[in-house]
Amino acid sequence: MTQGRSGNWTRRSFEIPDGRLVQAEREIFLQYGVEASIDAKSKSLFRFGKNPDLGLTRETIWTVGGHEVYLTTNTITHISSSSTLDNQLMRIESHTVDGNGDFTFVVQFVTLNGQNKVALGTPVARVSSLNNANGVPLAGAVYVYEDTTINAGVPVDMTKTHITIPVGYDQSFKAATTFDKETFGILTQGFGGVGNKQTANVEFEFEVRPKNGVFQSGAAIVAGSTSGNFNVNLDPAIIIPPNSDIRVTALSDNAGAEAFVNFNLYMAKVI
C-alpha cells in the first residue's frame, strides 16, 4: 500500500475504478475492523430468480414457492429428476456449515440417475445454484433436497427441497445466496418486474440475515403489470457481512402472479 489515509483507510497502490466499490471497502474497514479486497477475490455474482405463482403472502423469488427452510446442519443430501431419461452431470454451488455457524463454499458435480435418489458427494446446508453441465437438455424437473420420501423423483414434502430446475430449463432460478466466512458481498444493482401471466402489483424486498440474526429488509421497491419493470443502481452500495444469507422476497396483490428479479454484486475477500 502507498501512504495517505482517508478515514483511517490507507490508499492502495491499485484500486478498482468505481467510487462505490472503493467506498464499500473503506466502510468495511471502519465498521468491521478488517480489510477486504474486491481485487483479491476477483469474483462477481449475477443471480436471477423467478416465482411463477405468487400467493397473497410474502414468498421468496424462487421456483419452489413459499420460503426456504434454512438449516443449521449439513443435511441437504440428495438429488433426483422427475424423468427416467435424465442422466446428466449436474453442477451444484453450495455451502457447508460448521458448529460455529461458519459457511464454506463448495462446488460439486453429481450425475443424475433418472427418478432415483443420488447422494451428493458432500452434504451441505445451503444450495444457491444448480445447472446442467452436460450437452443434453434435461427432460424433467430436478430437485435437490434433504433425505425424504420421493414419488417418481419428486420430494413428497416440498419443505425439504432447497432448489429446483423446472421442466423445460437447464438451470435454477433462485434469487438467494449465502456468503462464506471470508467473503463480504457488495450489492450494486437490482432489476425485475411482473410477468404477463397475471395483472398484479408486486412489492419486492431485498433481505439480509447476518450470522445468528434474522432476515431484515435492506431495500424495497414496487413494480406492476402496468407500471413496468424496475432497475435500481445502488449508490452507496449495500454491504453484506460474511456468513450472511440473502434473498429477494415478493408480496403480490393478486394471486397467481409471476415475478422475476435479478441482482448484481461484487465479492470482497478478507485479507
Side-chain angles (χ1 to χ4, degrees):
M1 291 186 181
T2 58
Q3 296 300 313
R5 302 186 71 83
S6 174
N8 295 323
W9 175 261
T10 301
R11 181 176 294 278
R12 293 175 176 155
S13 56
F14 172 78
E15 288 187 332
I16 51 177
D18 186 324
R20 293 179 302 173
L21 302 184
V22 174
Q23 177 64 19
E25 289 182 341
R26 291 171 175 166
E27 289 187 22
I28 289 170
F29 179 65
L30 289 175
Q31 293 180 19
Y32 297 93
V34 297
E35 290 194 45
S37 168
I38 294 172
D39 178 54
K41 186 70 176 181
S42 295
K43 184 176 182 181
S44 55
L45 182 67
F46 178 90
R47 187 69 76 213
F48 174 69
K50 69 176 180 179
N51 187 316
D53 191 19
L54 287 170
L56 296 178
T57 57
R58 184 167 294 280
E59 300 183 27
T60 299
I61 302 295
W62 68 331
T63 50
V64 179
H67 289 307
E68 181 175 6
V69 178
Y70 286 87
L71 305 175
T72 57
T73 56
N74 299 309
T75 51
I76 302 173
T77 54
H78 288 83
I79 186 172
S80 57
S81 170
S82 64
S83 172
T84 58
L85 301 176
D86 286 334
N87 58 5
Q88 291 87 340
L89 181 70
M90 306 300 295
R91 183 181 186 273
I92 306 172
E93 293 189 4
S94 54
H95 287 80
T96 60
V97 68
D98 64 20
N100 296 318
D102 293 328
F103 291 102
T104 299
F105 181 62
V106 176
V107 175
Q108 54 186 310
F109 292 85
V110 182
T111 300
L112 293 171
N113 183 19
Q115 297 177 341
N116 299 311
K117 287 184 182 181
V118 177
L120 305 186
T122 302
V124 294
R126 301 285 187 274
V127 180
S128 55
S129 180
L130 174 67
N131 67 277
N132 182 359
N134 189 278
V136 178
L138 293 165
V142 178
Y143 303 82
V144 177
Y145 48 91
E146 301 165 62
D147 194 7
T148 188
T149 302
I150 61 174
N151 179 17
V154 181
V156 174
D157 181 359
M158 288 301 291
T159 67
K160 302 294 185 181
T161 300
H162 294 270
I163 202 165
T164 67
I165 295 178
V167 174
Y169 294 94
D170 286 279
Q171 78 286 322
S172 56
F173 299 94
K174 184 178 182 180
T177 194
T178 301
F179 292 92
D180 66 33
K181 59 188 175 183
E182 298 180 342
T183 303
F184 283 85
I186 302 172
L187 181 71
T188 57
Q189 185 182 32
F191 59 94
V194 182
N196 295 324
K197 174 184 173 184
Q198 179 75 38
T199 300
N201 294 305
V202 176
E203 177 188 281
F204 297 86
E205 290 193 7
F206 178 82
E207 300 178 357
V208 179
R209 182 173 71 173
K211 182 179 180 181
N212 299 322
V214 295
F215 278 109
Q216 298 184 50
S217 178
I221 195 166
V222 176
S225 304
T226 57
S227 60
N229 302 333
F230 70 86
N231 188 345
V232 177
N233 285 298
L234 297 168
D235 191 0
I238 295 176
I239 296 172
I240 305 156
N243 287 316
S244 292
D245 293 306
I246 65 173
R247 67 184 184 186
V248 181
T249 65
L251 178 63
S252 175
D253 67 355
N254 200 358
E258 180 179 49
F260 62 92
V261 70
N262 300 59
F263 60 82
N264 309 334
L265 57 82
Y266 294 87
M267 296 182 181
K269 179 179 174 61
V270 177
I271 57 175

